[in-house]
Amino acid sequence: MSTWRSATGRRPPATGQVLAYTLLIALSLVVLVPIVWAVLSSFKTQAELAARPPSPLPASFAPTNYTEALRTFDFGVYLRNSVVVTVAATALTLVINTMAAYGLAKYNFRGRTVLFLVTLGTIMIPLQVILISVYEVAADLGLVNSLWGLIIPPAATPTGVFLLRQYMLGLPDELIEAARIDGAGEFRTFVRIIVPLCAPPLAVLAIFSVIWRWNDFLWPLIISQDQDKYTLPVALAQFDGQLVVPFNYILAMSVVSMIPVIVIFLVLQRHITRGIAATGLR
């Protein structure tokens, strides 16, 4: 009995493969439908948002909500603060965590394992437990009500140290020894050899850091006292207390807040699977 083949000569997909793709497509739609609905609703007026039953499409795709929100409610200032804090905090996180992971992975010193376990154990400590202590330290350093107070305290993350250390354990020590024999200093060895080889986990950590810093709400709410220091999540939350909540402006700025995370993910997504898989094998 001959096996059925398509016009291109390929065998038909197996039943399990068809079911797997069907399930993945269904789950993708579940994730994408709320995002598409939010994007379409960001172009609607207050009356359209209050209409029942709701219309899936806006009457006009004019960017009035975006321009009015940026002009009337100083969302431009909040957006600028979020961009500055996210970029600076992510860069600082990558530098600090990479250096800490390199020391824990490639230097032999007494208490290295204990120090790593203590660092790893801090993952289980929620921010709410140490919030007062961190705030007092930030106040003593003069970081309260400043963008530096949003950038510096959350920069060192134990998750990033763990990811990078586990990846660096798989890098051959012979590369470092060869660089030292050739006369390269420790810093040059770190920058020219270790950092380029750690591109996959650095991309993963960059995505995580952007998501953490961009969506962070509790710490910016505590450390920022003036509205000109608010980030976008804190500013959006302030509208809940108004007598008339401008949902059309909130939706528009919520869509704007999603764009950087999506762009970063699309740019670095090819490193995610490789970086996490390689880290998990160490």
Side-chain angles (χ1 to χ4, degrees):
M1 183 177 179
S2 61
T3 305
W4 181 87
R5 294 177 181 272
S6 64
T8 59
R10 297 180 179 178
R11 292 178 177 271
T15 304
Q17 188 177 11
V18 173
L19 292 176
Y21 281 121
T22 303
L23 179 61
L24 290 174
I25 293 173
L27 292 176
S28 300
L29 291 176
V30 171
V31 174
L32 290 176
V33 165
I35 298 176
V36 174
W37 185 272
V39 173
L40 294 176
S41 298
S42 67
F43 293 95
K44 296 180 180 180
T45 62
Q46 286 275 47
E48 290 179 276
L49 291 174
R52 293 295 180 272
S55 173
L57 296 177
S60 173
F61 284 92
T64 306
N65 291 337
Y66 293 88
T67 56
E68 287 297 319
L70 291 173
R71 182 182 62 84
T72 307
F73 295 102
D74 291 332
F75 270 114
V77 176
Y78 309 140
L79 184 61
R80 181 200 62 195
N81 292 342
S82 291
V83 171
V84 171
V85 170
T86 300
V87 172
T90 298
L92 190 60
T93 296
L94 294 178
V95 172
I96 293 177
N97 289 0
T98 305
M99 297 178 69
Y102 179 61
L104 292 173
K106 295 302 180 182
Y107 284 90
N108 293 319
F109 56 91
R110 182 176 300 177
R112 182 181 70 168
T113 303
V114 175
L115 181 59
F116 172 68
L117 292 177
V118 171
T119 303
L120 192 61
T122 58
I123 297 178
M124 297 180 291
I125 303 177
L127 176 61
Q128 291 80 356
V129 175
I130 60 175
L131 186 62
I132 297 178
S133 301
V134 176
Y135 181 85
E136 290 179 347
V137 173
D140 292 338
L141 296 176
L143 299 178
V144 176
N145 198 32
S146 69
L147 295 183
W148 287 113
L150 300 174
I151 296 171
I152 296 177
T157 59
T159 304
V161 175
F162 171 74
L163 288 174
L164 291 168
R165 175 189 178 272
Q166 295 304 104
Y167 188 87
M168 290 181 185
L169 289 176
L171 300 179
D173 296 334
E174 290 77 8
L175 291 175
I176 302 176
E177 295 174 0
R180 291 170 179 169
I181 293 174
D182 290 340
E186 294 298 321
F187 183 76
R188 185 178 181 184
T189 302
F190 170 72
V191 173
R192 299 293 296 273
I193 296 178
I194 300 299
V195 173
L197 292 176
C198 292
L202 285 175
V204 174
L205 181 58
I207 294 174
F208 287 165
S209 180
V210 168
I211 295 175
W212 293 334
R213 300 288 82 81
W214 188 263
N215 296 326
D216 194 11
F217 173 76
L218 181 58
W219 179 247
L221 178 66
I222 298 299
I223 204 71
S224 302
Q225 298 177 353
D226 296 336
Q227 288 191 358
D228 60 347
K229 299 297 188 300
Y230 283 174
T231 56
L232 203 54
V234 178
L236 289 173
Q238 300 303 310
F239 288 97
D240 292 339
Q242 292 190 2
L243 184 61
V244 178
V245 181
F247 288 109
N248 53 335
Y249 297 154
I250 293 177
L251 281 169
M253 291 301 99
S254 297
V255 172
V256 171
S257 68
M258 291 189 296
I259 293 176
V261 177
I262 295 174
V263 171
I264 293 295
F265 177 81
L266 292 177
V267 172
L268 302 178
Q269 59 88 21
R270 64 189 181 92
H271 295 290
I272 294 178
T273 304
R274 184 174 60 172
I276 293 179
T279 301
L281 293 176
R282 302 301 192 270

